[in-house]
Amino acid sequence: MTGVADPANPDITATGLRRWTALVVLSVCVLVPFMDVTMISIDLPEITRALALTWVDAQWAIGGYLLVCGVGMLVVPAIGGRWGYRRTLVAGMALFGVGAVVAAWAPGAGVFIAARVAMGLGAATVLPAWVSITAAMFPAEERKRAYAVSAAFVSAATPFGPVAGGALLDNAWYGSLFLLDAVVAVLVVPLIGWLTPETRPGAGRRPDLIGIGLAACAAVVLFCAFTAAQGAQVAVCLVAAAILLAGFLLRQRMAADPLIDPAVLRRPRFVWSQLTISMVNFAWTGLLFLLPTYFLVIRGASALGVALLLVPLAAMASVASVITERVTRRLGVRGTVITGLLLFAAGLAALSLLTQESGYGLYVLALALAGLGAGLPQAPALATAMGELPERSAANGPGVINALRHLGGALGVAIGGLAVATAYAGGLPGTAGVAARSSVVHVGDDTGGFRASAYAAFTEGVSMSLRGGAVLLAALAVLAMILRERTRHRDGTTGE
């Protein structure tokens, strides 16, 4: 992707220090929304108590953010191409900051979820703008290094975010994390305008709004099927999602400029790679949604304690992103992906053995294993998926891949939460009140004599969800083992 520098700043790329400083600012823009799910998951029990959220509300607070972020990435390239990526990023970070302020002082569940949706829409601008602006600032020979440095910065900083957030939560009210997001947004918005050039790759064709609308509706209805819907409503939502998805695929066959060529779905390597990307995020986000609540509510850990416990997960995922290229050269793309999936599955299987009396050493080792496994497959699977895109999908394909990745994360929250909610509801006695039935966070003191059974049921639900994730990842690894590659590259890489 190429960009056009702002005529008002003709020397914006002339100073090396200035453009590398700008890259740090862009990296911060990527980092903050990237860490959002982890930090908010640690904050969620306190938010649930303060705003009387139900378990479904909690799912929408995280899943809704991911859904909107994913769908927004389908639209942002068209907006950035016409309006300019710098303006788009400024608007997105401003919206993210405003949403964070509203979330901090939200009076109830509805306003809080709406604020989270606004934050997700703002976060959707970050990755496309980062790619375009970085490409405009750096000459071709330095571009790959710039992307690598930025990605390394984000990976290295990621483990420290939850720790800072946990320390803050132990000494301040739940809204402080959102205000921290808002402060970062206030700081980076003027820096973006001062340090970065405007990039406008060209208007191109209009976005397929009908296709985007069908995809968005299918994603929301599918998410509803595993959260708010009950009984027969689940089947109705699933049928509606299938109809909307069929309509989306039909639209892609008819559209002059489709989001993605339906023919790519007949390419096993693309399907396998996209499943890998989506399922890894499915398991990752489900894990981050469930474990903090388990440790904070069931085990009585502090926010900082939970954040420190998650450091091995984030740190090993960062290490994996650094060594992936070297591992891929040795094992090949398929070998690297299979190894990562099996390691991630093993980590989840070990975590599923948790009990209310388990020592923390098990969690540290299992989370480190899961983090390593989650980090290894992402880059080679993404390269393979990108390499399989047809020519007519080259422009829109990356947005679709990212949208499906976020949908996988949202479904991890929905389906993992459904498993926990089912087990929890089955373990509660008939004497439990409405508040206690809505979320384990509201059980509180054992005044009704059922706290032990409620906690045991919730723990079993978390274990069941983790086992399900392990089985899915292991099944995907087996699929990769038996999948016959249509083409092979001597160096073990694809898409380059």
Side-chain angles (χ1 to χ4, degrees), residues 34 73 182 235 261 328 474:
F34 183 73
M73 286 185 181
D261 188 343
T328 303

Side-chain angles (χ1 to χ4, degrees), residues 296-312:
L296 289 163
V297 177
I298 309 301
R299 301 295 298 268
S302 66
L304 178 59
V306 174
L308 290 172
L309 198 60
L310 293 177
V311 165

Side-chain angles (χ1 to χ4, degrees), residues 15 43 61 85 113 184 197 221-222 226 238 254 278 288 292 304 310 351 375 431 461 481:
T15 304
D43 203 3
Y85 273 103
I113 293 171
V184 173
V221 172
L222 188 60
F226 300 109
L238 290 175
M254 298 170 58
S278 298
L288 290 178
L304 178 59
L310 293 177
L351 286 169
T431 55
M481 291 177 189

Side-chain angles (χ1 to χ4, degrees), residues 188-421:
V188 300
V189 162
L191 291 175
I192 294 168
W194 177 49
L195 292 171
T196 65
E198 184 58 278
T199 61
R200 194 177 292 106
R205 298 181 180 179
R206 292 184 179 275
D208 179 16
L209 296 180
I210 295 176
I212 292 171
L214 288 169
C217 290
V220 171
V221 172
L222 188 60
F223 189 81
C224 287
F226 300 109
T227 53
Q230 296 180 358
Q233 292 178 327
V234 175
V236 172
C237 286
L238 290 175
V239 170
I243 293 172
L244 288 165
L245 181 58
F248 170 77
L249 294 175
L250 180 62
R251 172 64 184 177
Q252 298 314 291
R253 295 186 65 178
M254 298 170 58
D257 187 25
L259 290 171
I260 193 164
D261 188 343
V264 77
L265 300 179
R266 296 194 293 270
R267 299 185 179 186
R269 288 167 61 85
F270 177 84
V271 174
W272 163 67
S273 300
Q274 187 63 70
L275 277 174
T276 297
I277 296 167
S278 298
M279 286 299 99
V280 166
N281 281 277
F282 173 95
W284 177 271
T285 311
L287 175 67
L288 290 178
F289 175 62
L290 298 175
L291 273 193
T293 296
Y294 167 77
F295 285 116
L296 289 163
V297 177
I298 309 301
R299 301 295 298 268
S302 66
L304 178 59
V306 174
L308 290 172
L309 198 60
L310 293 177
V311 165
L313 179 73
M316 292 307 293
S318 299
V319 169
S321 68
V322 173
I323 67 174
T324 294
E325 185 176 355
R326 185 180 304 173
V327 174
T328 303
R329 285 199 299 266
R330 184 176 294 271
L331 299 180
V333 170
R334 189 164 60 163
T336 302
V337 171
I338 291 171
T339 300
L341 290 173
L342 291 177
L343 288 174
F344 197 1
L348 293 182
L351 286 169
S352 72
L353 301 177
L354 58 86
T355 68
Q356 295 182 48
E357 292 78 30
S358 298
Y360 284 96
L362 166 67
Y363 302 114
V364 171
L365 293 175
L367 286 167
L369 185 63
L372 180 63
L376 280 177
Q378 298 271 23
L382 178 60
T384 301
M386 292 288 291
E388 290 294 311
L389 288 174
E391 182 67 26
R392 68 190 305 221
S393 297
N396 297 326
V400 174
I401 290 172
N402 266 311
L404 290 173
R405 179 171 68 87
H406 281 76
L407 176 60
L411 290 179
V413 172
I415 297 175
L418 176 64
V420 172

